[in-house]
Amino acid sequence: DWTSFEVWKEMSKWATEKKFPYEEEWSKINVPLYVILGDCDHLLTPQDGCVAYDLSQSVDKELLLLNNIDHKRHWGHVDITIGKDAIDFVWEPMGNWMLERS
């Protein structure tokens, strides 16, 4: 699958250049933003996810950092999407967040 390789290649370039290529455009939009991060996510680290959150100029933005103290376990990248506790700690809050804005 070339798409996966191309995405990996682009993300690697971002990491080596230490610059988010869409930073200017990202900082200009104002749409509701809900960022969900896992404390042990090595693909999108909390530090990197917080950069995107901080750069956003959205008036309505929220950050959820999943961790073992408040959310039952440490959270990796896959745990956030399909982990056994994702329904309670990810999908339900996300659904509620979207319903509040519909």
Side-chain angles (χ1 to χ4, degrees), residues 64-101:
L64 173 61
L65 177 58
L66 300 164
N67 60 75
N68 67 321
I69 296 169
D70 301 313
H71 307 102
K72 197 174 178 179
R73 64 178 51 252
H74 287 292
W75 292 77
H77 199 75
V78 176
D79 298 316
I80 294 171
T81 55
I82 59 172
K84 70 178 186 175
D85 293 315
I87 290 173
D88 295 329
F89 293 106
V90 179
W91 296 111
E92 185 175 331
M94 183 187 304
N96 293 336
W97 185 88
M98 291 189 303
L99 282 172
E100 290 170 3
R101 286 152 184 81

Side-chain angles (χ1 to χ4, degrees), residues 37-38 41 44-52 54 65:
L37 303 168
D41 189 338
L44 176 64
T45 66
Q47 179 181 357
D48 292 337
C50 285
V51 169
D54 292 339
L65 177 58

